[in-house]
């Protein structure tokens, strides 16, 4: 069982009288609907405000916002959408995901056990007990709503595991293999001057950089290691690993590495932005290869999960009532800690916190 952390929260500052009824939220109104399922505004508001409470302090600190209103009105990506609207869209899509999975539990013989139901009920009761009546009203949170959301989390976790279990996890050594290398890089575009300003290299300076790279190449050919040769010219080396389908290395660098045998070092590789010398350290970097193998497996699982989910969702007729969802407001902060309450209460349940939209 995973530990569920529920933070005790109260509303910050003075709030309007309307806030005591969720700022005008009609909890029974429709926020979204799909085949055989209606999502109420009470559930949508609670899910959105719970997410707000989970991430608000982090975002305030990261973005330097002094108030909840300032934070959630930010157009972080310059696309005309506020952080509040981005968050609400994300939470509504999470609800779509969870209700879709709930509708297909029988397809994977998934159920919520008696023990899980008991743990969920206990967690919901604890959440209601730990939070002020003002906060609960602002979040339109009652025991049934909290219990339903925690149940959806549990179903999502169990369904995701069941669906991902179908993915092919057999990754061959060839597919996973990553070769280890050491690289010396000299940028030929710009550098920092003594005042910290970015300055473009002149043509004469670029020639000098090329001469430096050639000196390092010659030193290696005469028996020095790439590390020592680079250090003699005040240059540094880095290490790494790459797979056959690597797209992060410069094309010319990858080609040079592909042509090397273990222990061999390349000549100077010249690109539009840098000069490189690389050495192939190993045909197989064991740690990097095993990490890549797991990454491939994880991607296959994720891809299969998304494929199955999207297949169901294409047919479920999901529709969001944008007019109603627009009434959900993050104006009032939910993260001011109650000095008379424990900051965290741990309860045991098979649920997870709502994911951050970082």
């Amino acid at each position: 069982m995973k530990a569920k952390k529920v933070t005790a929260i109260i509303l910050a500052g003075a709030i309007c009288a309307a806030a005591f009824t969720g700022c005008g939220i009609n909890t029974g109104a429709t926020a979204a609907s799909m085949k055989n399922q209606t999502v109420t505004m009470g559930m949508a508001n609670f899910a959105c405000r719970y997410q707000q409470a989970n991430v608000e302090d982090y975002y305030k600190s990261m973005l330097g916002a002094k108030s909840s209103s300032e934070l959630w009105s930010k157009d972080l990506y310059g696309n005309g959408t506020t952080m509040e609207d981005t968050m609400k869209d994300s939470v509504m899509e999470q609800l779509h995901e969870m209700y879709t999975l709930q509708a297909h539990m029988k397809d994977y013989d998934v159920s919520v056990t008696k023990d899980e139901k008991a743990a969920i009920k206990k967690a919901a009761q604890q959440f209601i007990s730990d939070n002020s009546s003002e906060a609960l009203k602002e979040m339109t949170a009652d025991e049934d709503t909290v219990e339903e959301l925690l149940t959806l989390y549990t179903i999502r976790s169990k369904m995701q595991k069941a669906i991902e279990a179908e993915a092919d996890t057999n990754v061959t050594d060839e597919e996973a293999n990553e070769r280890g290398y050491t690289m010396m890089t000299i940028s030929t575009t710009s550098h920092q001057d003594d005042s910290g300003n970015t300055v473009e290299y002149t043509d004469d300076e670029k020639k000098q950089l090329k001469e430096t790279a050639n000196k390092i190449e010659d030193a290696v050919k005469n028996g020095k290691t790439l590390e020592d040769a680079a250090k003699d010219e005040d240059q540094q080396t880095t290490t790494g690993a790459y797979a056959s389908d690597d797209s992060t290395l410069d094309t010319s660098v990858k080609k040079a590495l592909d042509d090397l045998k273990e222990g061999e070092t390349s000549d100077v590789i010249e690109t539009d932005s840098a000069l490189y010398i690389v050495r192939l350290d190993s045909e197989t970097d064991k740690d990097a290869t095993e990490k890549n193998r797991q990454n491939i497996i994880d991607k296959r699982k994720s891809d299969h999960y998304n494929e199955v989910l999207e297949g169901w969702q294409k047919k479920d007729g999901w529709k969001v009532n944008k007019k109603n969802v627009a009434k959900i407001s993050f104006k009032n902060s939910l993260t001011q800690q109650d000095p008379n309450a424990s900051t965290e209460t741990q309860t045991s349940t098979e649920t997870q916190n709502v994911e951050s939209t970082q």
Side-chain angles (χ1 to χ4, degrees):
M1 303 286 263
K2 287 193 175 182
K4 171 74 177 177
K5 293 184 178 180
V6 180
T7 305
I9 53 179
I10 62 169
L11 295 175
I15 54 177
C16 62
F20 293 112
T21 57
C23 287
I25 294 292
N26 178 354
T27 58
T30 298
S33 60
M34 56 185 279
K35 186 178 180 180
N36 300 324
Q37 180 68 57
T38 297
V39 182
T40 67
M41 280 294 292
M43 170 58 75
N45 184 64
F46 174 60
C48 287
R49 303 305 302 281
Y50 184 46
Q51 175 72 322
Q52 175 196 359
N54 277 335
V55 303
E56 189 166 75
D57 282 342
Y58 170 78
Y59 280 143
K60 278 182 180 178
S61 176
M62 183 176 71
L63 300 176
K66 296 180 180 179
S67 68
S68 182
S69 179
E70 178 187 349
L71 171 67
W72 296 111
S73 63
K74 283 182 178 291
D75 179 4
L76 190 61
Y77 302 105
N79 59 5
T81 303
T82 65
M83 284 187 65
E84 177 182 299
D85 286 339
T86 298
M87 177 71 75
K88 289 193 294 186
D89 288 346
S90 174
V91 173
M92 292 307 295
E93 193 50 50
Q94 290 174 32
L95 288 172
H96 183 196
E97 174 189 9
M98 291 189 289
Y99 279 114
T100 300
L101 294 170
Q102 183 184 55
H104 290 273
M105 291 169 65
K106 290 184 179 179
D107 295 359
Y108 284 84
D109 197 25
V110 165
S111 62
V112 181
T113 68
K114 288 184 179 180
D115 286 345
E116 288 166 344
K117 288 178 181 178
I120 287 169
K121 189 171 187 65
K122 183 178 179 181
Q125 291 172 340
Q126 190 70 56
F127 182 83
I128 296 298
S129 174
D130 284 346
N131 290 284
S132 69
S133 59
E134 291 89 350
L136 294 173
K137 288 175 182 178
E138 179 80 2
M139 300 174 79
T140 57
D142 56 30
E143 187 176 323
D144 288 342
T145 303
V146 177
E147 194 171 328
E148 182 179 358
L149 188 60
L150 297 184
T151 299
L152 288 171
Y153 291 161
T154 301
I155 292 169
R156 177 173 58 182
S157 176
K158 299 181 79 169
M159 283 290 285
Q160 184 170 355
K161 289 177 182 177
I163 294 169
E164 289 182 347
E166 298 175 327
D168 178 14
T169 57
N170 181 28
V171 180
T172 67
D173 292 343
E174 183 178 359
E175 289 176 300
N177 191 63
E178 293 221 354
R179 306 170 91 211
Y181 65 83
T182 296
M183 176 188 296
M184 186 280 305
T185 308
I186 301 176
S187 173
T188 56
T189 55
S190 61
H191 66 286
Q192 300 288 319
D193 64 15
D194 293 338
S195 299
N197 300 313
T198 301
V199 180
E200 298 292 323
Y201 281 117
T202 65
D203 288 342
D204 286 341
E205 288 173 328
K206 289 181 181 179
K207 288 180 181 178
Q208 292 176 359
L209 293 173
K210 181 64 183 297
E211 291 175 2
T212 296
N214 288 336
K215 287 181 181 179
I216 296 171
E217 177 188 326
D218 291 340
V220 171
K221 288 180 177 178
N222 288 322
K224 279 198 172 183
T225 64
L226 179 56
E227 292 88 345
D228 288 343
K231 186 176 180 181
D232 289 344
E233 298 297 330
D234 295 323
Q235 301 297 324
Q236 296 181 334
T237 58
T238 58
T239 59
Y242 78 104
S244 59
D245 61 349
D246 186 278
S247 60
T248 60
L249 290 173
D250 182 276
T251 303
S252 299
V253 173
K254 183 176 180 301
K255 184 179 184 306
L257 280 168
D258 287 343
D259 292 339
L260 294 175
K261 294 179 180 179
E262 188 171 305
E264 291 182 342
T265 303
S266 72
D267 294 335
V268 175
I269 306 161
E270 189 170 359
T271 70
D272 292 337
S273 60
L275 301 167
Y276 301 91
I277 298 177
V278 291
R279 182 184 67 224
L280 184 66
D281 295 328
S282 61
E283 287 289 351
T284 297
D285 182 312
K286 292 183 179 180
D287 290 341
T289 295
E290 289 312 306
K291 183 177 180 180
N292 188 43
R293 191 191 307 277
Q294 188 58 53
N295 287 340
I296 293 171
I297 292 172
D298 290 344
K299 186 176 186 303
R300 287 181 183 178
K301 288 181 176 181
S302 177
D303 287 348
H304 180 64
Y305 173 76
N306 290 331
E307 182 182 358
V308 171
L309 179 65
E310 289 168 9
W312 287 333
Q313 290 183 334
K314 286 179 181 178
K315 305 173 184 178
D316 65 19
W318 174 261
K319 185 177 181 180
V320 175
N321 187 321
K322 295 182 179 180
K323 184 177 179 180
N324 281 346
V325 172
K327 296 176 183 178
I328 299 173
S329 172
F330 290 1
K331 181 179 179 180
N332 292 320
S333 176
L334 290 164
T335 58
Q336 178 180 326
Q337 297 299 315
D338 184 347
N340 297 315
S342 172
T343 58
E344 286 191 337
T345 300
Q346 291 195 8
T347 60
S348 178
T349 182
E350 187 69 35
T351 64
Q352 297 176 336
N353 284 325
V354 179
E355 290 86 0
S356 159
T357 57
Q358 301 175 40

